[in-house]
C-alpha cells in the first residue's frame, strides 16, 4: 500500500527542509575549499622561505668554493654539488642498464612467465622500501666490506632507490609502443632483437628518458641513502673511494650548526636543490609530452 | 606457434622459433642480457634482505625477542631495546595520517568534482605534485625554523591548559612528536591526494547522474554515492600513506628530538626507527651496528606488511570498479 503523502527520497523522517539541505551543501563546499586552501599555506611558506633565505648568498662563489670552517664566513659548497652529481651518475650507471634490460625482458620477451611476474613483484616491493633501507644495505654490503665510507657506497644506495622507478617507467614506455609496429617489423622478417633495438626502443625512448629524469630528480634530493654511506667531506672529491659531500647531507649537517653563516648556506643549498629537482621534474614531463598522448 | 609480444598474443612466424637452424646460428645475445638483468634484479632483493638479516644476526641471537619489548637503548652499556622507538614510529605515522587524511581527501574531492574550471584544477594538482617533489631534508630545514617555534609557542599554551591530559603533559618541547607528525602529514598528503583522486575519478558518471536525478544535492551525492563507491581506494591511500610515513627519515630525524624515553605526551621528544638509524649508523661499531641492523629489519618488515596490505586493498578496488563500469 502506498503512503498517502509523497515524501522526497532524500528527506529524512525527521523532516529536513530543503533550506537545511541547501545550507548543509553550502557549508560542506565551504569546508572543502577551506581545507584545500589550508594546505597551500605550508607550501607557500616553504617556497618563500627557501627563496628569501637562500637567494642572498647565490653567487658564482657558491658553486666554485669550499664551505668555510665553523664560525668563519665566505665560500660555498662546490664540493657538495660535485659530490651529488658524481653519486647520481654512479647510480645511473648501475640502475639504467639493469632497469631497462629487465623492462625489455618482462615486456618484450616473456610478458607472461614466472620470471617476469617475479621481477614485477620485486620492483613493486622495492618502491615501497624506505629510502634509508637502501642506505643500510649499502652500508652492510659496501662500507663494511671495504672498511670505509665512499661515493661508490652512496651510488649503490641511490641505484637501489631508483632501480624500480626506471624499471617500471620503462615497462610502461614499452607498453605504449603500438603493437602494429612490432607486427610490421616481424612481418618484414626482422628478428626479435632487430625489432626491439630498431623499432620498439627508439619509439619508447622519450618515455624511458622521462623515467630516467624522474629518477635523477629523486636521487639528487634523497639524503637518507647517502647519509652514512658517502658520509660527508669538507674537500673536493678526488676519488670515488673516499667520503664524499652531497648537497642534501650538507643541508642536514649545517642546519644543526650554531653558526648563522652555515645556516644561510643550508638555505642556499636548499634553494639549489629544490631548483634542480623541480627543473628536472618539469623537463622530464616536457620530454614526454610533445611526442605521445 | 602462438606467442605474446608486448602483452598481446600474435601469430609468430617460423623464423622466430629457437628450433630453426637460422636461429641457432645467431643466438639472441640480447635476450640473454635481458634475462641476466631480470635475474640480477630478483637476486638483488634477496641480497638486500639477506645482507641485512646476516648483519643483524649477532643482535638477533643475543637479544632475541627482548629487543622488541625492551625499553632501554644505551649503546654504552650494551643494552638495546626498541619498544619506545617502535611506539614512536607507529604513533607519529598515525598522527600524521589523522591530520593528512581530511586535508588530502578534501583536495582530492576538490580536484575530481567539478567545483572549479578544469585549468584551475590542473593547477592545484600541479601544486600538490610539487609538494611531493620537495626533498625530505628541505622539509626538515623548514620544520626546524618554522614548525618548531610554532609548536613551542602553542604547545606551552596547550600544556598549561590541558596538561592534566597525558597527551598534552608538559613541559612542551619544540622538538617533539607533534612537530614531526605535522611535517610528516604534509609529506604524505600528495600520496593520499593522488590515490584518492584516481579512485574518485573512476566512479562512473552514471552513478552521479542517477543521484542528481533523484534530487540529491551535490554533497548528498558525494557523501551518499561517490565516497562509498570510492572508499576502498581511499582506505588504500591511507594505508600506503601510513607506510610512507613510517619510512620517512630525514625530516623526522631533524624534528622529533631523538629521545628513546617512553612518554605519552605529544609534546615531548620521541624517536622513530628510521630516525634512529639515521642518527646512529655513522658512529656505531661492534654490536651496536648489529642492533641497528635488527632495527632496520624490523622497519622493513613493518613497511612491507603495510605496503602489501595497501596494494591488496587497491587491487580489490580496481576489480570492484571495473565491475561497476
Amino acid at each position: 500500500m502506498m503512503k498517502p503523502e509523497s515524501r522526497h527520497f532524500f528527506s529524512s523522517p525527521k523532516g529536513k527542509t530543503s533550506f537545511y539541505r541547501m545550507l548543509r551543501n553550502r557549508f560542506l563546499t565551504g569546508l572543502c575549499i577551506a581545507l584545500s586552501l589550508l594546505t597551500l599555506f605550508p607550501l607557500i611558506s616553504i617556497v618563500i622561505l627557501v627563496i628569501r633565505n637562500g637567494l642572498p648568498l647565490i653567487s658564482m662563489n657558491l658553486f666554485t668554493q669550499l664551505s668555510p670552517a665553523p664560525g668563519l664566513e665566505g665560500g660555498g659548497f662546490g664540493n657538495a654539488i660535485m659530490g651529488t652529481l658524481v653519486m647520481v651518475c654512479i647510480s645511473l650507471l648501475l640502475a639504467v642498464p639493469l632497469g631497462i634490460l629487465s623492462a625489455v625482458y618482462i615486456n618484450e620477451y616473456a610478458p607472461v612467465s614466472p620470471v617476469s611476474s617475479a621481477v614485477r613483484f620485486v620492483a613493486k616491493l622495492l618502491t615501497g622500501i624506505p629510502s634509508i633501507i637502501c642506505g643500510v644495505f649499502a652500508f652492510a654490503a659496501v662500507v663494511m666490506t671495504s672498511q670505509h665510507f665512499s661515493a661508490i657506497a652512496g651510488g649503490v644506495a641511490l641505484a637501489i632507490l631508483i632501480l624500480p622507478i626506471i624499471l617500471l617507467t620503462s615497462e610502461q614506455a614499452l607498453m605504449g609502443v603500438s603493437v602494429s609496429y612490432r607486427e610490421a617489423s616481424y612481418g618484414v622478417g626482422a628478428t626479435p632483437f632487430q625489432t626491439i633495438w630498431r623499432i620498439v626502443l627508439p619509439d619508447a625512448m622519450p618515455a624511458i628518458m622521462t623515467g630516467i629524469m624522474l629518477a635523477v630528480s629523486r636521487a639528487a634530493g634523497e639524503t637518507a641513502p647517502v647519509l652514512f654511506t658517502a658520509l660527508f667531506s669538507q674537500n673536493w672529491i678526488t676519488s670515488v673511494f673516499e667520503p664524499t659531500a652531497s648537497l642534501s647531507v650538507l643541508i642536514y649537517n649545517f642546519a644543526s650548526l650554531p653558526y648563522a653563516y652555515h645556516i644561510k648556506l643550508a638555505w642556499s643549498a636548499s634553494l639549489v636543490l629544490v631548483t634542480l629537482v623541480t627543473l628536472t621534474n618539469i623537463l622530464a614531463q616536457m620530454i614526454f609530452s610533445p611526442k605521445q598522448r | 606457434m602462438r606467442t605474446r609480444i608486448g602483452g598481446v598474443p600474435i601469430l609468430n612466424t617460423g623464423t622466430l622459433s629457437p628450433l630453426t637452424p637460422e636461429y641457432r646460428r645467431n643466438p639472441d645475445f640480447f635476450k640473454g642480457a635481458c634475462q641476466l638483468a631480470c635475474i640480477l634484479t630478483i637476486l638483488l632483493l634477496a641480497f638486500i634482505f639477506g645482507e641485512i638479516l646476516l648483519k643483524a644476526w649477532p643482535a638477533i641471537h643475543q637479544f632475541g625477542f627482548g629487543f622488541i619489548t625492551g625499553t632501554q637503548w644505551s649503546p654504552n652499556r650494551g643494552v638495546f631495546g626498541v619498544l619506545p622507538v617502535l611506539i614512536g614510529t607507529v604513533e607519529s605515522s598515525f598522527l600524521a595520517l589523522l591530520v593528512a587524511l581530511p586535508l588530502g581527501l578534501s583536495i582530492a574531492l576538490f580536484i575530481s568534482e567539478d567545483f572549479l574550471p578544469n585549468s584551475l584544477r590542473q593547477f592545484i594538482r600541479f601544486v600538490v605534485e610539487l609538494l611531493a617533489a620537495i626533498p625530505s631534508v628541505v622539509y626538515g630545514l623548514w620544520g626546524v625554523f618554522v614548525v618548531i617555534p610554532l609548536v613551542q609557542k602553542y604547545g606551552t599554551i596547550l600544556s598549561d591548559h590541558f596538561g592534566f591530559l597525558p597527551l598534552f603533559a608538559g613541559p612542551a618541547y619544540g622538538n617533539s612528536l607533534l612537530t614531526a607528525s605535522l611535517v610528516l602529514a604534509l609529506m604524505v598528503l600528495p600520496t593520499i591526494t593522488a590515490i584518492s583522486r584516481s579512485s574518485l575519478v573512476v566512479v562512473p558518471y552514471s552513478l552521479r547522474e542517477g543521484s542528481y536525478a533523484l534530487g540529491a544535492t551535490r554533497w548528498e551525492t558525494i557523501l551518499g554515492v561517490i565516497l562509498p563507491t570510492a572508499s576502498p581506494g581511499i582506505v588504500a591511500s591511507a594505508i600506503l600513506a601510513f607506510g610512507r610515513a613510517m619510512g620517512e627519515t630525514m625530516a623526522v630525524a631533524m624534528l622529533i628530538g631523538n629521545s628513546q624515553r617512553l612518554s605519552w605526551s605529544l609534546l615531548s621528544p620521541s624517536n622513530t626507527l628510521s630516525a634512529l638509524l639515521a642518527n646512529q649508523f655513522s658512529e656505531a661499531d661492534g654490536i651496536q651496528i648489529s642492533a641497528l641492523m635488527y632495527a632496520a629489519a624490523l622497519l622493513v618488515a613493518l613497511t612491507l606488511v603495510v605496503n602489501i596490505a595497501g596494494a591488496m586493498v587497491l587491487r580489490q578496488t580496481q576489480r570492484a570498479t571495473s565491475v561497476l563500469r
Side-chain angles (χ1 to χ4, degrees):
Chain A
M1 232 177 92
M2 297 272 285
K3 282 186 180 172
E5 87 275 26
S6 75
R7 215 180 58 209
H8 196 280
F9 180 76
F10 277 95
S11 64
S12 70
K14 287 170 205 151
K16 290 176 184 169
T17 61
S18 66
F19 174 73
Y20 167 82
R21 291 172 57 215
M22 284 300 290
L23 203 65
R24 193 171 89 128
N25 200 35
R26 289 273 165 80
F27 169 73
L28 285 171
T29 305
L31 187 72
C32 187
I33 294 173
L35 286 180
S36 304
L37 290 182
L38 190 66
T39 38
L40 284 182
F41 278 109
L43 184 76
I44 294 169
S45 162
I46 292 175
V47 171
I48 288 179
L49 276 183
V50 166
I51 291 175
R52 206 184 61 196
N53 294 334
L55 212 51
L57 279 190
I58 296 287
S59 68
M60 266 326 278
N61 290 346
L62 214 58
F63 301 98
T64 55
Q65 292 186 358
L66 293 173
S67 31
L72 297 183
E73 297 203 350
F77 40 70
N79 59 333
I81 296 178
M82 271 291 272
T84 294
L85 291 181
V86 167
M87 282 190 283
V88 169
C89 285
I90 294 174
S91 71
L92 286 180
L93 281 179
L94 293 169
V96 167
L98 199 60
I100 295 183
L101 288 180
S102 301
V104 166
Y105 187 80
I106 63 175
N107 199 58
E108 301 298 320
Y109 282 110
V112 274
S113 76
V115 175
S116 299
S117 30
V119 169
R120 286 195 191 95
F121 180 71
V122 166
K124 286 193 182 125
L125 226 53
L126 280 177
T127 40
I129 281 186
S131 61
I132 193 159
I133 296 301
C134 303
V136 172
F137 165 71
F139 183 87
V142 184
V143 176
M144 284 172 85
T145 318
S146 67
Q147 292 298 322
H148 48 76
F149 301 102
S150 63
I152 291 279
V156 167
L158 291 178
I160 294 165
L161 184 83
I162 63 174
L163 175 66
I165 303 178
I166 291 176
L167 207 164
L168 293 172
T169 50
S170 299
E171 196 202 354
Q172 286 294 324
L174 293 170
M175 268 183 205
V177 178
S178 163
V179 180
S180 56
Y181 282 24
R182 296 187 182 90
E183 284 171 347
S185 174
Y186 286 118
V188 297
T191 62
F193 171 67
Q194 285 167 335
T195 305
I196 293 167
W197 194 252
R198 300 263 181 86
I199 308 293
V200 178
L201 275 179
D203 197 52
M205 215 17 109
I208 293 177
M209 283 307 291
T210 304
I212 294 176
M213 298 289 277
L214 287 177
V216 167
S217 104
R218 181 81 202 281
E222 276 290 344
T223 316
V226 292
L227 184 63
F228 47 79
T229 49
L231 213 65
F232 193 68
S233 158
Q234 295 291 342
N235 301 312
W236 289 97
I237 175 168
T238 53
S239 126
V240 290
F241 299 106
E242 60 186 33
T244 306
S246 58
L247 271 179
S248 48
V249 176
L250 179 129
I251 299 171
Y252 177 65
N253 285 350
F254 283 9
S256 54
L257 290 178
Y259 310 109
Y261 190 79
H262 283 77
I263 289 172
K264 275 189 205 154
L265 276 181
W267 280 109
S268 297
S270 301
L271 181 60
V272 172
L273 197 59
V274 169
T275 314
L276 195 77
V277 167
T278 320
L279 276 186
T280 348
N281 248 316
I282 293 173
L283 212 61
Q285 269 144 41
M286 271 163 60
I287 291 176
F288 188 45
S289 55
K291 185 140 187 276
Q292 289 166 316
R293 270 154 239 181
Chain B
M1 182 188 132
R2 282 185 80 81
T3 182
R4 277 168 170 267
I5 290 172
V8 178
I10 64 155
L11 203 61
N12 210 336
T13 57
T15 48
L16 294 181
S17 162
L19 300 173
T20 57
E22 210 175 322
Y23 188 94
R24 243 179 280 159
R25 247 180 282 129
N26 305 310
D28 197 342
F29 289 117
F30 190 61
K31 182 179 182 181
C34 293
Q35 257 169 336
L36 185 69
C38 283
I39 290 164
L40 281 178
T41 305
I42 297 168
L43 285 181
L44 179 68
L45 188 78
F47 189 33
I48 292 173
F49 290 166
E51 189 74 19
I52 292 176
L53 279 180
L54 190 75
K55 295 279 155 53
W57 184 248
I60 296 175
H61 185 71
Q62 189 175 333
F63 307 119
F65 199 68
F67 186 75
I68 299 170
T69 53
T71 55
Q72 294 286 319
W73 180 282
S74 45
N76 301 334
R77 290 189 289 125
V79 180
F80 298 97
V82 286
L83 187 65
V85 184
L86 271 178
I87 293 175
T89 306
V90 176
E91 205 180 352
S92 62
S93 305
F94 184 74
L95 214 61
L97 199 59
L98 218 58
V99 177
L101 195 58
L103 294 175
L105 197 54
S106 50
I107 296 178
L109 276 173
F110 204 49
I111 57 181
S112 63
E113 299 300 306
D114 48 358
F115 285 112
L116 289 174
N118 198 23
S119 54
L120 218 56
R121 277 188 273 167
Q122 291 301 326
F123 174 73
I124 294 179
R125 243 185 100 183
F126 172 75
V127 167
V128 175
E129 274 169 24
L130 203 67
L131 269 177
I134 295 176
S136 175
V137 70
V138 176
Y139 276 106
L141 187 67
W142 175 75
V144 167
F145 290 99
V146 175
V147 186
I148 285 186
L150 277 179
V151 168
Q152 205 149 27
K153 189 173 161 201
Y154 293 104
T156 317
I157 300 175
L158 261 180
S159 69
D160 283 349
H161 293 279
F162 300 98
F164 56 88
L165 292 171
L167 280 184
F168 300 115
Y173 291 88
N175 292 46
S176 64
L177 192 71
L178 184 64
T179 315
S181 305
L182 287 177
V183 175
L184 265 182
L186 207 56
M187 298 176 75
V188 298
L189 197 81
T191 311
I192 296 182
T193 306
I195 301 174
S196 304
R197 183 190 161 275
S198 60
S199 65
L200 284 170
V201 293
V202 297
V203 173
Y205 208 79
S206 54
L207 284 186
R208 291 159 219 244
E209 283 168 344
S211 173
Y212 287 137
L214 288 170
T217 62
R218 181 202 289 278
W219 277 95
E220 282 163 352
T221 306
I222 290 174
L223 296 176
V225 177
I226 297 173
L227 281 184
T229 315
S231 59
I234 294 164
V235 172
S237 81
I239 298 175
L240 291 173
F242 190 73
R244 268 213 61 192
M246 286 202 304
E248 266 310 329
T249 311
M250 296 319 297
V252 179
M254 291 167 86
L255 300 171
I256 203 163
N258 305 304
S259 146
Q260 277 81 248
R261 284 224 334 273
L262 263 180
S263 163
W264 281 110
S265 175
L266 302 181
L267 300 169
S268 64
S270 177
N271 211 346
T272 69
L273 283 171
S274 50
L276 181 80
L277 298 176
N279 279 312
Q280 304 208 343
F281 241 115
S282 51
E283 281 136 25
D285 51 4
I287 189 76
Q288 191 185 353
I289 287 183
S290 193
L292 288 170
M293 291 284 176
Y294 194 171
L298 285 179
L299 179 63
V300 172
L302 271 180
T303 47
L304 275 190
V305 168
V306 171
N307 279 329
I308 289 175
M312 273 161 69
V313 175
L314 200 60
R315 187 182 284 182
Q316 286 294 319
T317 327
Q318 279 154 0
R319 211 169 285 161
T321 40
S322 69
V323 169
L324 270 180
R325 271 158 184 262

